[in-house]
């Protein structure tokens, strides 16, 4: 029997990977009964009493700072390699200290459905100081996904009846539909169904409640994403009714700006124009005006219009349609600043010096009349000396001053160190029939940047105005647009990859946008600069709405709010109402009920924004999958945008489509996932597949319903590495045969040979993000 003492028992419990039972302690010390078992019981009680150990539910013991053997975790990070990290669901850092590092181990059943925010009941094993591995027992979110709810799917007729194929790629099972429950649905139709009681049945039964789209209709593609996200492309009748009889207000106490040559500058396909701009030179800088549609005049708190707008939170943009926040009577008419028509506006006068510093500002309610509806291309052409009949008479007095003010603001932006992530954005081309015909890169002109800088300045002025004194902050709180600095974990995940290009990522918790810009400018001279930009983008936090201001990291601004798009963002409407109240600008101010719910509203509109972003991405995935479904077997060039334990994610150069090359399809070798190198490395042949490398792939599967694509290596594709980068340490030189190396694995039955390939997890998104507006 091993000598037992209070110290030895404590050491054993403290160093155990998992909490232990009294029986396990007794077995470890060779205690079988009698006095020794009584002594052990007393030692455990003594250790528990003095706080050295903790007795957890189930009668197991652990160190006081150790996590329970079974815990509910929430995923808080999926890094650039697809590795998943979670934290205990209830964890107060100020009380309990640093969040433990918990990595979820992939499995064949549940791992594929994990995403940021997922909750799971997990079994934990301690692997180091404050570090654990977690194995999923069950996903809490997944178990209740369909209970008592509805599902979107496609009807598939079979010999023995009909089934519903869910459109959600995370769905595990099909559903049975009785003939009597089809309710007019036909084979291939997109339908909404309700779950029926199905106890004891192998598969759940459903009943069709509505047909959303017909087979063969291209519009069905975005309808899937729209309904899957719970969005509504129609408005309740009581909301429509409230817009009846609305009209542009009389001048009254508004400032008359109809003679000021304000102009709108938007995309050529824009249908609503919610901002107009003006600039003029002053003795010490520029006077700028940004006029925004006065949505708060028409949409009042407590109305059906307002309730519906708040529920939606924002407009959602699909390749072939828009799901607006407000009905057309407002978004495309009364709140659209059409040329030569009077419109109610919330306007801000801003005065900047020659260094771009905002000297003073004044918010007013106004009556304006846009002098021209211009496009970005028109304005840029006029600036470059190619004016047309619309812009020719505007160049000197309107367009040139706008560019003069922009030059000052752009220089100020560069000086303060706003993050310079100018990544190209793709635009899906849809023909008149609603079919995707290709992809083009969106133009990025100085005219685009001009409008962005004017809008940023107006947003800064709005945040500053509502933060001007304590009474404003209390009575009319501001919903800020905040953007936190990158997390330490995400920066560390990107560091090794960036340093492999002989570039350095600043260390420490207090990283500044200027430091990242220094990295980006150094990378700009390299042929693979876009890879560095993509990696930096992946480290960024998600911007959200909140009443507690922490500033905007990406824009390098201390005060920032959204003011310029109340037609399509509820956050902007709330800021308008706060400004109206703070500066006594008339009707439509923020009321006590809104003030009491301000934090709840900020959290809600942050969530609706995320929902819209996911729906927009899913729609793009489905359109590109539909486009590729007619190219099965074709070869395309692409770039590796994700390297995981279960395969490679590849983005096609031509279409921007993303797809997975499953690990099981890399059958020529046993591949090891090198996290630091962001690469898969062949153990025998030495082929390397590295993040950012170019490669050719074959389209194997493309499913327009779920938006998922499966790729395979093109013939002759043996590895994909970045020229000039050092091979990962310990990587064998590439060889074209599969003979086992001396002393290495590969021979069947030999000691130390390659282990059986672990099961790969099917598609879970590790895709790069679109560069969205701040």
């Amino acid at each position: 029997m091993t000598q037992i003492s209070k110290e030895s028992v404590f050491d054993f419990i403290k160093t155990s990977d998992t909490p232990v039972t009294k029986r396990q302690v007794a077995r470890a010390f060779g205690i079988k009964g009698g006095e020794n078992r009584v002594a052990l019981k007393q030692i455990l009680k003594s250790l528990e009493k003095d706080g050295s150990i903790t007795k957890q539910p189930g009668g197991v013991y652990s160190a006081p700072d150790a996590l329970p053997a079974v815990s509910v975790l929430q995923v808080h990070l999926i890094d650039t390699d697809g590795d998943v990290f979670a934290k205990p669901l209830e964890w107060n850092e100020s009380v309990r200290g640093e969040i433990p590092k918990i990595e979820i181990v992939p499995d064949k059943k549940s791992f594929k459905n994990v995403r940021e925010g997922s909750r799971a009941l997990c079994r934990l094993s301690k692997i180091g100081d404050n570090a654990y591995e977690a194995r999923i027992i069950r996903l809490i979110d997944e178990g209740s996904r369909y209970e008592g709810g509805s599902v979107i799917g496609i009807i598939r007729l079979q010999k023995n009846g009909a089934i519903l194929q869910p459109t959600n790629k995370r769905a595990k099972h099909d559903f049975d539909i009785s003939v009597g429950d089809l309710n007019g649905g036909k084979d291939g139709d997109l339908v909404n169904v309700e779950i029926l009681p199905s106890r004891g049945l192998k598969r759940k039964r459903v009943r069709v409640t509505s047909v959303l789209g017909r087979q063969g209709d291209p519009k069905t593609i975005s309808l899937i994403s729209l309904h899957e996200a719970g969005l509504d492309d129609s408005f309740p009748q009581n909301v429509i009714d409230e817009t009846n009889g609305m009209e542009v207000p009389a001048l009254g106490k508004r400032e008359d700006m109809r003679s000021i040559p304000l102009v709108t500058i938007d995309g050529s396909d824009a249908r609503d124009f919610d901002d107009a701009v003006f600039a003029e030179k002053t003795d010490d800088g520029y006077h700028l005006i940004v006029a925004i549609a006065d949505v708060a005049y028409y949409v009042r708190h407590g109305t059906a219009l307002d309730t519906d707008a708040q529920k939606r939170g924002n407009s959602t943009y699909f390749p072939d349609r828009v799901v607006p926040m407000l009905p057309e009577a407002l978004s495309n008419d009364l709140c659209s600043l059409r040329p030569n028509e009077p419109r109610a506006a919330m306007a801000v006068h801003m005065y900047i010096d020659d260094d771009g510093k905002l000297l003073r500002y004044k918010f007013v309610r106004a009556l304006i009349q846009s002098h021209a509806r211009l496009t970005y291309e028109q304005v840029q052409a006029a600036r470059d000396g190619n004016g047309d009949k619309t812009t020719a008479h505007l160049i000197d007095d309107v367009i040139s001053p706008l560019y003069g003010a922009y030059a000052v603001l752009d220089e100020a932006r560069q000086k303060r160190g706003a993050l310079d992530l100018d990544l190209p954005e793709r635009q899906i081309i849809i023909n008149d029939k609603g079919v995707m015909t290709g992809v083009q890169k969106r133009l990025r002109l100085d005219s685009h940047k001009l409008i962005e800088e004017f809008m940023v300045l107006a947003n800064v002025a709005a945040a500053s105005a509502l933060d001007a004194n304590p009474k404003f902050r209390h009575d009319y709180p501001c919903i800020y647009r905040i953007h936190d600095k990158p997390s330490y974990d995400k920066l560390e995940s990107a560091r090794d990859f960036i340093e492999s290009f002989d570039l350095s990522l600043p260390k420490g918790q207090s990283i500044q946008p200027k430091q990242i810009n220094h990295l980006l400018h150094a990378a700009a001279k390299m042929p693979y600069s876009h890879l560095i930009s993509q990696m930096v983008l992946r480290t960024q936090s998600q911007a959200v709405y909140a009443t507690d201001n922490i500033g905007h990291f990406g824009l390098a601004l201390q005060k920032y709010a959204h003011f310029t798009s109340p037609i399509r963002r509820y956050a902007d409407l709330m800021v308008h109402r706060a400004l109206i109240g703070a500066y006594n600008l008339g009707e439509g101010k923020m009321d006590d009920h809104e003030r009491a719910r301000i934090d709840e509203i900020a959290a809600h509109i942050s969530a609706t924004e995320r929902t819209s972003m996911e729906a927009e991405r899913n729609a793009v995935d489905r359109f590109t999958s539909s486009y590729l479904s007619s190219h099965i077997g074709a070869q395309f060039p692409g770039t590796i945008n994700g390297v995981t334990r279960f395969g490679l994610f590849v983005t096609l150069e031509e279409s921007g489509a993303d797809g997975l090359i499953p690990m099981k399809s890399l059958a020529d070798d046993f591949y090891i996932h090198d996290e630091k190198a962001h690469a898969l490395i062949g153990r025998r042949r030495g082929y390397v597949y590295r993040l950012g490398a170019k490669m050719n792939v074959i389209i194997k599967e493309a499913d327009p319903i779920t938006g998922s694509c499966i790729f395979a290596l093109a013939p002759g594709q043996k590895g994909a590495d970045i020229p000039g980068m050092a091979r990962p340490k310990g990587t064998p030189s590439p060889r074209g045969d599969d003979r086992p190396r001396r002393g290495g694995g590969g021979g069947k039955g030999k000691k130390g040979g390659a282990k059986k390939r672990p099961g790969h997890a099917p598609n879970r998104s590790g895709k790069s993000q679109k560069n969205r507006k701040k």
Side-chain angles (χ1 to χ4, degrees):
M1 183 184 73
T2 306
Q3 183 65 35
I4 185 172
S5 67
K6 189 174 179 179
E7 291 75 17
S8 60
V9 172
F10 172 70
D11 288 340
F12 173 74
I13 294 173
K14 183 180 179 182
T15 57
S16 293
D17 292 343
T18 58
V20 294
T21 63
K22 183 167 66 175
R23 178 177 294 179
Q24 289 173 314
V25 178
R27 189 182 300 121
F29 287 92
I31 298 172
K32 296 183 179 179
E35 295 180 2
N36 289 323
R37 188 171 287 275
V38 174
L40 174 60
K41 187 176 181 179
Q42 292 174 342
I43 288 173
L44 291 172
K45 281 188 175 181
S46 176
L47 288 169
E48 185 182 359
K49 187 176 181 180
D50 64 24
S52 298
I53 63 173
T54 300
K55 189 174 184 179
Q56 298 181 5
V60 294
Y61 297 92
S62 69
D65 58 345
L67 297 177
V70 176
S71 296
V72 176
L73 306 179
Q74 184 168 34
V75 175
H76 71 92
L77 171 67
I78 299 176
D79 70 13
T80 52
D81 287 328
D83 294 327
V84 178
F85 297 90
K87 63 180 180 180
L89 189 59
E90 300 295 336
W91 188 272
N92 188 331
E93 287 188 71
S94 62
V95 176
R96 304 187 64 181
E98 183 183 357
I99 297 174
K101 185 175 182 180
I102 308 172
E103 182 174 2
I104 294 183
V105 178
D107 63 13
K108 294 182 179 180
K109 182 180 178 183
S110 301
F111 189 74
K112 62 185 178 182
N113 296 317
V114 170
R115 58 199 183 280
E116 287 194 12
S118 292
R119 296 177 301 153
L121 184 66
C122 297
R123 192 176 305 281
L124 300 176
S125 298
K126 195 170 185 179
I127 58 174
D129 290 340
N130 212 30
Y132 297 81
E133 280 187 343
R135 287 171 170 77
I136 297 173
I137 298 173
R138 65 180 174 86
L139 281 175
I140 294 175
D141 299 323
E142 191 71 17
S144 60
R145 184 183 299 275
Y146 298 127
E147 297 300 328
S150 62
V151 183
I152 306 295
I154 303 294
I155 295 175
R156 299 298 186 198
L157 295 183
Q158 299 182 330
K159 290 182 180 179
N160 300 323
I163 64 168
L164 182 86
Q165 177 189 343
T167 58
N168 192 320
K169 66 180 70 174
R170 301 187 184 102
K172 303 176 188 176
H173 308 293
D174 295 332
F175 297 85
D176 285 328
I177 312 176
S178 300
V179 175
D181 290 327
L182 285 171
N183 288 335
K186 300 176 182 178
D187 186 45
D189 282 354
L190 174 69
V191 295
N192 191 27
V193 302
E194 62 178 349
I195 308 294
L196 299 175
S198 308
R199 183 171 296 177
L201 298 179
K202 185 176 180 181
R203 281 196 301 217
K204 289 184 181 293
R205 291 172 48 245
V206 296
R207 177 191 297 122
V208 175
T209 57
S210 59
V211 176
L212 305 175
R214 295 293 182 181
Q215 184 178 22
D217 185 355
K219 295 179 181 178
T220 300
I221 295 175
S222 58
L223 278 176
I224 295 173
S225 298
L226 187 157
H227 288 284
E228 191 176 71
L231 303 176
D232 193 346
D233 58 348
S234 62
F235 289 90
Q237 190 58 46
N238 63 333
V239 173
I240 300 293
D241 290 344
E242 285 188 352
T243 65
N244 294 334
M246 286 185 172
E247 57 185 21
V248 177
L251 178 61
K253 295 182 179 179
R254 292 175 178 268
E255 182 175 327
D256 191 349
M257 291 187 176
R258 286 173 291 183
S259 63
I260 297 175
L262 288 151
V263 296
T264 63
I265 306 175
D266 294 276
S268 57
D269 57 349
R271 296 173 60 193
D272 53 73
F273 320 114
D274 58 355
D275 57 80
V277 293
F278 167 80
E280 62 181 348
K281 190 74 177 71
T282 62
D283 292 339
D284 57 353
Y286 281 89
H287 168 216
L288 294 76
I289 299 175
V290 172
I292 306 298
D294 191 357
V295 177
Y297 173 78
Y298 300 101
V299 182
R300 305 290 178 88
H301 175 69
T303 62
L305 257 175
D306 182 59
T307 300
D308 190 72
Q310 185 182 125
K311 179 183 176 183
R312 293 169 185 263
N314 49 264
S315 298
T316 306
Y317 296 84
F318 296 112
D320 62 340
R321 72 185 70 206
V322 177
V323 180
M325 186 180 80
L326 297 173
E328 271 198 20
L330 293 177
S331 60
N332 291 345
D333 187 0
L334 292 173
C335 293
S336 185
L337 308 182
R338 296 173 178 171
N340 305 313
E341 295 183 27
R343 287 291 182 266
M346 274 282 287
V348 56
H349 294 272
M350 298 174 289
Y351 296 86
I352 61 172
D353 63 18
D354 288 326
D355 292 323
K357 181 180 179 181
L358 182 60
L359 301 174
R360 62 189 185 278
Y361 49 80
K362 181 182 179 182
F363 285 88
V364 298
R365 280 182 127 163
L367 195 65
I368 74 162
Q369 188 163 302
S370 168
H371 284 224
R373 180 272 199 259
L374 306 176
T375 68
Y376 292 113
E377 293 79 9
Q378 260 185 311
V379 172
Q380 191 61 52
R383 175 63 173 174
D384 296 338
N386 300 309
D388 56 24
K389 62 181 181 180
T390 303
T391 59
H393 69 284
L394 299 173
I395 293 175
D396 292 335
D397 295 332
V398 176
I399 294 175
S400 291
L402 288 174
Y403 273 90
Y406 160 64
V408 172
L409 292 174
D410 185 53
E411 186 175 352
R413 174 192 177 96
Q414 293 179 41
K415 284 182 179 178
R416 75 172 184 265
L419 207 55
D420 190 15
L421 272 175
D422 197 8
L423 291 166
E425 187 178 340
R426 288 184 172 91
Q427 178 183 10
I428 289 181
I429 308 301
I430 306 292
N431 66 16
D432 294 339
K433 297 179 180 179
V435 177
M436 175 179 168
T437 57
V439 176
Q440 68 181 17
K441 287 186 179 180
R442 289 187 184 272
L443 287 174
R444 177 74 168 158
L445 305 171
D446 279 348
S447 53
H448 290 93
K449 299 175 185 178
L450 182 157
I451 291 298
E452 287 177 9
E453 289 305 318
F454 273 57
M455 298 305 113
V456 167
L457 188 67
N459 289 337
V460 169
S464 301
L466 292 174
D467 193 52
N469 68 53
K471 180 174 174 56
F472 290 172
R473 292 194 289 272
H474 177 269
D475 293 347
Y476 303 104
C478 179
I479 292 182
Y480 295 96
R481 180 65 166 179
I482 62 171
H483 181 224
D484 204 356
K485 62 182 183 296
S487 71
Y488 176 80
D489 288 339
K490 286 189 176 182
L491 287 173
E492 288 303 299
S493 176
R495 187 178 305 282
D496 288 318
F497 179 78
I498 289 172
E499 289 180 349
S500 65
F501 288 89
D502 291 328
L503 298 169
S504 60
L505 188 65
K507 294 185 178 181
Q509 298 283 2
S510 59
I511 190 169
Q512 299 298 317
K514 279 186 177 181
Q515 296 172 294
I516 295 180
N517 278 340
H518 181 74
L519 164 68
L520 294 171
H521 294 157
K525 305 170 186 175
M526 306 172 66
Y528 289 92
S529 61
H530 64 286
L531 301 180
I532 305 300
S533 295
Q534 286 285 0
M535 185 60 72
V536 168
L537 179 63
R538 295 183 188 194
T539 67
Q540 297 304 298
S541 304
Q542 174 69 51
V544 296
Y545 296 107
T547 55
D548 292 327
N549 183 31
I550 62 170
H552 196 294
F553 177 84
L555 293 173
L557 294 169
Q558 291 302 311
K559 298 174 185 177
Y560 191 69
H562 274 166
F563 162 80
T564 55
S565 294
I567 286 181
R568 62 183 180 89
R569 291 189 305 230
Y570 196 80
D572 304 53
L573 178 55
M574 290 293 291
V575 169
H576 279 224
R577 288 173 176 167
L579 288 166
I580 291 167
Y583 290 90
N584 298 312
L585 299 179
E587 297 178 312
K589 68 180 181 179
M590 180 185 290
D591 68 10
D592 293 341
H593 185 263
E594 288 178 295
R595 182 169 63 246
R597 293 183 55 244
I598 193 81
D599 290 316
E600 177 189 337
I601 292 171
H604 168 72
I605 57 182
S606 294
T608 60
E609 180 188 38
R610 290 192 295 272
T611 297
S612 291
M613 289 170 62
E614 184 174 359
E616 290 165 359
R617 284 196 300 266
N618 289 341
V620 169
D621 287 345
R622 289 185 168 104
F623 269 101
T624 52
S625 294
S626 176
Y627 178 70
L628 291 177
S629 64
S630 60
H631 295 79
I632 300 298
Q635 180 173 314
F636 291 91
T639 302
I640 299 174
N641 74 30
V643 181
T644 72
R645 299 175 181 180
F646 49 85
L648 301 168
F649 286 102
V650 177
T651 300
L652 303 187
E653 290 182 7
E654 178 186 332
S655 64
D658 292 298
L660 175 70
I661 300 179
M663 182 72 85
K664 67 179 182 181
S665 70
L666 303 176
D668 61 337
D669 205 342
F670 176 74
Y671 284 89
I672 300 167
H673 179 212
D674 188 322
E675 295 183 45
K676 289 188 175 182
H678 297 272
L680 294 182
I681 302 168
R683 179 181 289 180
R684 296 198 308 270
R685 297 187 175 185
Y687 296 141
V688 174
Y689 293 92
R690 196 192 303 255
L691 181 70
K694 306 286 186 182
M695 66 183 303
N696 292 314
V697 299
I698 298 292
I699 311 300
K700 297 290 289 184
E701 300 174 21
D703 187 351
I705 304 304
T706 63
S708 60
C709 293
I710 301 296
F711 300 157
L713 298 179
Q717 184 71 53
K718 297 179 178 180
D721 206 352
I722 299 174
M725 289 190 68
R727 291 178 63 77
K729 291 182 180 179
T731 306
S733 299
R735 56 191 288 144
D737 58 64
D738 57 0
R739 291 172 293 165
R741 296 176 180 272
R742 241 176 238 185
K748 292 183 179 180
K750 291 187 179 182
K751 197 171 183 179
K755 296 179 182 178
K756 184 180 179 181
R757 186 191 307 277
H760 77 284
N763 192 3
R764 177 175 55 72
S765 179
K767 296 179 277 214
S768 59
Q769 304 174 33
K770 283 176 67 178
N771 186 24
R772 296 180 63 88
K773 289 185 179 180
K774 303 290 190 299

